[in-house]
Amino acid sequence: MSARTPSRSVPLGSVRAPRGTTALDFDPLAAISARGFLIVVATVCLVSAVALTVTTAAQTSSWPLAIGALVALAAGFGWFIRSAFDFTVGVSTDRFATVFALLAVATVLNSLGSLGSNLLVRDDWGLLTLALALMAAAPFRTAAELGLYTGISTALVTVLSLLHVFFSPLTPVPIAVIVLVAVAPVLALGLGAMGYARVLLAGIYAERLAQAEARDRQFDAQRQRFIDDDGVGSIGPLREEVVPFLARLRMAGELTVDDRLRAAELTARLQAAVDGSRPADSLGDQVDVFIDEAELSLRMHEDDRATIRAVLRELNQSPRRTPGTLVLELLEGEEDRFGIIRCSSADVRSLRAEVLPFIRMMRLMMSTASDEVAGDELLLHFDLQRLAS
Amino acid sequence: MTLQIAADVDGRSTSRALATAGSWLAVVFLAATALIVTAFIPVTGRADIVVGIAGLVVTGFAVVAALRTGSQVRAVLYTVAAGLGLALYAFVVAGVSVADAGTAAAPTSDFVLLSMPEFAILVVGIAARSLARSLVLGTLALLVGPGLVQLVAWQQGMRLALDVPVLASWLALVLFVTALWIGRREAARGTAQMLDSALAEERHLAEARFTARAAAWVGDTVLTDLRALAATPPGPLGDRMLQSLDRDLANLADTSLVLSGPEIGASASRSLASVPLLVSVVRAAEQQGLRIRVTGDTEVINGVRPADARNLERAISECLENVRRHSGQIDAEIAVYYSAPEVSVMVSDAGVGFDVDAAGDETVGLRVTVVDSIVETGGSVQIWSRPGTGTAVFMTVPGAPR
């Protein structure tokens, strides 16, 4: 299977992901783009809020409330971003509930801050930021949760716009129109976020099933290749000497003194071949120096091995790497086991920037991974928490 | 991939998801606009507003089509069609507003009934499969949507006003799409590398498994027979030895027999891709050296509520940990059943077992972790075990298949 052309044999409509799961549960690397999107959304919201507060200053009836709204908005997005960059917990149900509560408080304060003097409900940034926060949450939370928050937001916005209708100067615009205009952004972005979360999850889940099928096909093909290449017969003298010897004995039906000596000799050679048939660790092929005195490598979790392999391959391919300096060291301490990847470069900061996505990926897959630049050397440190006994 | 990670390497799932989000967004804004202008039909007595609503419907269909098509040319055509539909709507609504209120009192060209449907057309580019295409479509939408609307409103006698929210939304969309694409590019590079590495890892593991199996088979059969021959006195070979030689030669003639059987097959977790909860516990147990057999209607577990699923996962893990530590066996079975309205999971082994009533500290984990976890869900646990007869833990949690 080619990694870049995943199989699509699992139709989207036929799969339903488990309850409570999000696309990021299956594709944690997508957190990289989700976080970038969140930062831009947060920036847009904060800039819009400040700009609208300033440009509609004449409509502000209470500055403490208006400033409190901005503080609550900053706190909400601050907590959201912090949660998104937390590699262990992430944007959990509870944490997003806190984020939403802070943003809802910001919306209410923003609205109350212009009560009685609000000319246009559509100028209120609270409605917009609440809607955009739902959109930014789409990769992190489930469609059901987003649906719940869309409902709450719609109700909140309806109440706030009604409040303005009753406390603001008389307007010829019908109440229903004011409410509809106020509710539309929240409903549009909320339903959009739900749709995004649902469709993305189904797509990623179908991809997971398709990849599982592809893995089975690869496994079967590899087994067939092992058979075709006579992987069994190639153990020591098995095919070339043992088989003819056994066939001759079978034909003769009788054992001679020379046959006994020959059997003993073949036993010793075949035993040595069997003992030496253990495959070399392929992680060692990726580096210039491989140190693993405690033989931790073969006991490592597949996921960790694949992550390290990906980082090593990226470092190996970098033209900035000083040849012969890529080292993988796996160490066992008294209480812990850990690994270090070292690589030198004349421009080590550029090398770090080049492999930064892979360092982030390591942090996603192995929560304790960290990086450091020491002189002309890039050091990646990670704990080995999942080892077979 | 090998691991528990799926990946949207080519961005198709993300694109489809963005198309869905964009469709919802467009439909809500257009529907809200249509509802409001419909309310004006009896107030103004202008039946031609229906033509304007028809323009909104055209815009809606065209925006959804532009979001869903894979062809850039078609997306451009649909965007132009959406713009024309919007222009038709603006022509009618601006005309009605000016005629109803007079040129001086009529709202300006940025009034809400014109700007709200403009948001709908701005999203046409978000699902495109490249950043450049996305930006081209979004900018085209700005020109043929809000741009054309302004022109039509001016032509109908409306005073022009810069629609700041619409322009700001276009700018925000450009920023969002750019951020998404930059992030995606970075993630896709990492993902592709991860997929390659994961597949290499799978190949390495499979190779190791085949080699180990081949070596074990040689050790158990051919080597044993050679040793026996070396120790056999000269003379005619006995029937048993001849049979052994026949078996060795047959297997060496067709080595596929050597590489068959459950122990050479894929791990249990591989066949469980559709049940993430079981994948994680089975993989963890396999990593610790257990061999797990999973039977029954496993996918019903996907219907268990998330909080209950976490407790069930903890309980199954604890059961498997007990098998590993205390059973003296490396084989365990997980069987899944559904009987409305409950999902049942039985973890069993054929190990040394224990006296449930007289159990000591070694079963504290089983009792506390498993029982507490399951009882918390509103479910129940039964533990069957006797010395020498193995152990079975039967857990039931609320849940229904999806």
Side-chain angles (χ1 to χ4, degrees):
Chain A
M1 181 183 87
S2 161
R4 287 171 185 78
T5 53
S7 160
R8 289 280 176 175
S9 59
V10 179
L12 258 186
S14 67
V15 298
R16 292 193 74 176
R19 283 171 69 171
T21 51
T22 67
L24 286 187
D25 291 336
F26 299 118
D27 181 13
L29 295 182
I32 294 171
S33 54
R35 287 191 200 119
F37 183 67
L38 170 60
I39 287 173
V40 175
V41 168
T43 308
V44 166
C45 286
L46 287 167
V47 169
S48 305
V50 172
L52 281 168
T53 303
V54 172
T55 54
T56 61
Q59 297 178 41
T60 302
S61 55
S62 167
W63 280 102
L65 289 182
I67 291 167
L70 288 172
V71 171
L73 181 74
F77 273 110
W79 184 237
F80 198 168
I81 291 170
R82 194 178 160 196
S83 302
F85 279 83
D86 182 329
F87 292 94
T88 48
V89 181
V91 185
S92 62
T93 304
D94 294 347
R95 284 185 171 195
F96 185 70
T98 309
V99 169
F100 182 81
L102 283 166
L103 297 181
V105 167
T107 303
V108 172
L109 292 180
N110 166 242
S111 197
L112 295 182
S114 62
L115 201 62
S117 52
N118 200 1
L119 297 177
L120 289 170
V121 175
R122 64 187 287 220
D123 284 347
D124 296 358
W125 53 255
L127 319 180
L128 179 73
T129 53
L130 208 53
L132 286 172
L134 290 175
M135 197 74 217
F140 297 101
R141 298 310 322 150
T142 64
E145 280 174 79
L146 293 167
L148 175 70
Y149 288 121
T150 302
I152 295 171
S153 304
T154 306
L156 184 68
V157 170
T158 304
V159 170
L160 290 175
S161 51
L162 287 174
L163 212 59
H164 280 289
V165 170
F166 294 123
F167 281 93
S168 294
L170 283 178
T171 166
V173 183
I175 293 175
V177 173
I178 293 174
V179 171
L180 210 50
V181 169
V183 158
V186 165
L187 212 51
L189 287 169
L191 291 174
M194 279 175 70
Y196 180 86
R198 188 179 50 77
V199 173
L200 187 63
L201 174 62
I204 295 285
Y205 188 63
E207 188 68 31
R208 175 192 175 96
L209 300 185
Q211 285 172 1
E213 284 178 9
R215 287 200 308 272
D216 281 344
R217 287 197 297 274
Q218 175 184 276
F219 186 85
D220 291 341
Q222 204 176 343
R223 176 160 57 182
Q224 192 55 49
R225 202 158 45 244
F226 192 85
I227 292 165
D228 294 344
D229 294 347
D230 196 19
V232 179
S234 61
I235 297 177
L238 189 60
R239 182 69 67 195
E240 287 175 2
E241 295 179 64
V242 175
V243 170
F245 173 67
L246 296 181
R248 185 175 58 72
L249 280 185
R250 180 65 186 85
M251 289 288 287
E254 196 168 341
L255 190 72
T256 66
V257 174
D258 286 345
D259 290 336
R260 287 184 65 190
L261 292 173
R262 178 73 173 146
E265 181 207 344
L266 288 174
T267 301
R269 287 173 53 200
L270 193 58
Q271 182 67 60
V274 166
D275 292 344
S277 65
R278 192 175 164 190
D281 185 359
S282 61
L283 265 187
D285 300 343
Q286 306 291 320
V287 290
D288 301 308
V289 181
F290 182 41
I291 302 166
D292 182 18
E293 287 175 1
E295 298 193 335
L296 300 174
S297 165
L298 291 170
R299 290 158 54 199
M300 278 163 60
H301 196 280
E302 277 175 68
D303 296 8
D304 294 346
R305 283 179 57 96
T307 306
I308 291 166
R309 184 187 293 275
V311 177
L312 293 176
R313 285 171 71 155
E314 187 64 15
L315 283 167
N316 239 327
Q317 288 164 11
S318 170
R320 291 192 171 86
R321 176 179 65 93
T322 305
T325 61
L326 185 54
V327 179
L328 171 62
E329 206 170 345
L330 302 175
L331 300 158
E332 186 163 38
E334 294 217 345
E335 291 179 356
D336 57 347
R337 276 120 355 153
F338 57 95
I340 300 169
I341 296 170
R342 300 169 193 273
C343 187
S344 295
S345 168
D347 185 3
V348 70
R349 297 207 176 270
S350 298
L351 177 70
R352 181 184 175 275
E354 194 179 316
V355 298
L356 197 57
F358 293 87
I359 296 173
R360 287 184 186 146
M361 190 181 69
M362 271 184 89
R363 295 192 69 186
L364 276 171
M365 304 301 295
M366 311 163 86
S367 54
T368 56
S370 62
D371 68 292
E372 182 190 343
V373 171
D376 66 346
E377 204 171 45
L378 176 65
L379 294 171
L380 306 178
H381 183 282
F382 51 90
D383 283 346
L384 297 174
Q385 294 178 331
R386 299 185 287 188
L387 279 178
S389 50
Chain B
M1 57 197 275
T2 320
L3 322 173
Q4 296 168 50
I5 298 173
D8 182 27
V9 180
D10 55 10
R12 273 198 282 184
S13 296
T14 305
S15 180
R16 208 179 286 130
L18 284 169
T20 306
S23 300
W24 273 109
L25 194 139
V27 166
V28 170
F29 274 120
L30 292 171
T33 311
L35 267 176
I36 295 171
V37 293
T38 303
F40 282 102
I41 295 176
V43 177
T44 59
R46 292 284 298 264
D48 55 346
I49 288 177
V50 175
V51 178
I53 293 171
L56 289 181
V57 173
V58 169
T59 303
F61 277 110
V63 167
V64 172
L67 284 164
R68 304 215 168 248
T69 183
S71 151
Q72 180 74 352
V73 175
R74 267 188 239 131
V76 167
L77 293 175
Y78 290 136
T79 304
V80 172
L84 292 175
L86 202 54
L88 174 64
Y89 162 79
F91 182 81
V92 174
V93 170
V96 170
S97 300
V98 171
D100 199 47
T103 308
T108 51
S109 64
D110 65 339
F111 90 122
V112 71
L113 283 185
L114 288 188
S115 61
M116 211 153 66
E118 288 172 3
F119 294 123
I121 194 172
L122 292 182
V123 298
V124 287
I126 61 171
R129 299 288 292 279
S130 77
L131 178 59
R133 285 180 175 196
S134 184
L135 295 180
V136 165
L137 275 179
T139 308
L140 175 69
L142 180 73
L143 295 175
V144 301
L148 212 54
V149 166
Q150 290 279 321
L151 197 67
V152 169
W154 170 73
Q155 191 273 332
Q156 287 289 64
M158 222 171 215
R159 283 174 295 131
L160 285 182
L162 193 65
D163 199 335
V164 177
V166 168
L167 276 177
S169 299
W170 173 78
L171 195 63
L173 265 175
V174 168
L175 283 173
F176 294 159
V177 168
T178 306
L180 208 59
W181 269 100
I182 289 172
R184 254 202 60 73
R185 196 179 305 159
E186 206 171 89
R189 189 162 142 246
T191 302
Q193 188 83 282
M194 268 303 262
L195 282 169
D196 283 341
S197 299
L199 287 170
E201 206 51 54
E202 278 251 323
R203 281 193 292 273
H204 171 73
L205 284 174
E207 193 72 29
R209 191 175 294 164
F210 299 150
T211 306
R213 171 66 185 153
W217 178 81
V218 169
D220 290 346
T221 56
V222 180
L223 262 174
T224 305
D225 291 341
L226 282 173
R227 278 197 200 97
L229 285 169
T232 302
L237 294 168
D239 286 346
R240 181 174 285 183
M241 177 54 74
L242 290 173
Q243 280 173 8
S244 290
L245 294 182
D246 283 340
R247 183 203 56 201
D248 291 349
L249 290 168
N251 279 329
L252 283 164
D254 178 9
T255 56
S256 63
L257 298 171
V258 176
L259 293 171
S260 61
E263 68 276 22
I264 198 66
S267 73
S269 63
R270 178 173 292 150
S271 60
L272 293 172
S274 59
V275 194
L277 183 150
L278 284 180
V279 172
S280 54
V281 288
V282 168
R283 280 174 65 87
E286 285 180 341
Q287 181 70 13
Q288 295 294 322
L290 285 184
R291 283 197 309 230
I292 315 284
R293 185 163 169 257
V294 183
T295 59
D297 190 5
T298 53
E299 292 203 15
V300 296
I301 286 185
N302 288 343
V304 175
R305 283 189 305 157
D308 295 349
R310 279 193 290 276
N311 284 2
L312 182 61
E313 182 178 4
R314 200 178 311 135
I316 297 173
S317 296
E318 183 61 33
C319 290
L320 292 174
E321 180 62 14
N322 273 278
V323 173
R324 191 178 73 79
R325 283 173 182 267
H326 306 299
S327 73
Q329 294 274 314
I330 60 165
D331 291 298
E333 179 169 349
I334 299 173
V336 184
Y337 315 93
Y338 174 68
S339 174
E342 291 170 332
V343 172
S344 301
V345 178
M346 186 166 76
V347 179
S348 59
D349 66 73
V352 295
F354 62 97
D355 185 342
V356 177
D357 298 324
D361 290 346
E362 71 275 9
T363 59
V364 166
L366 192 62
R367 284 165 176 271
V368 176
T369 309
V370 175
V371 175
D372 284 0
S373 298
I374 298 301
V375 168
E376 204 177 301
T377 69
S380 61
V381 181
Q382 282 180 285
I383 302 171
W384 293 296
S385 187
R386 274 199 322 206
T389 62
T391 303
V393 182
F394 191 82
M395 298 166 280
T396 299
V397 295
R402 308 185 65 210

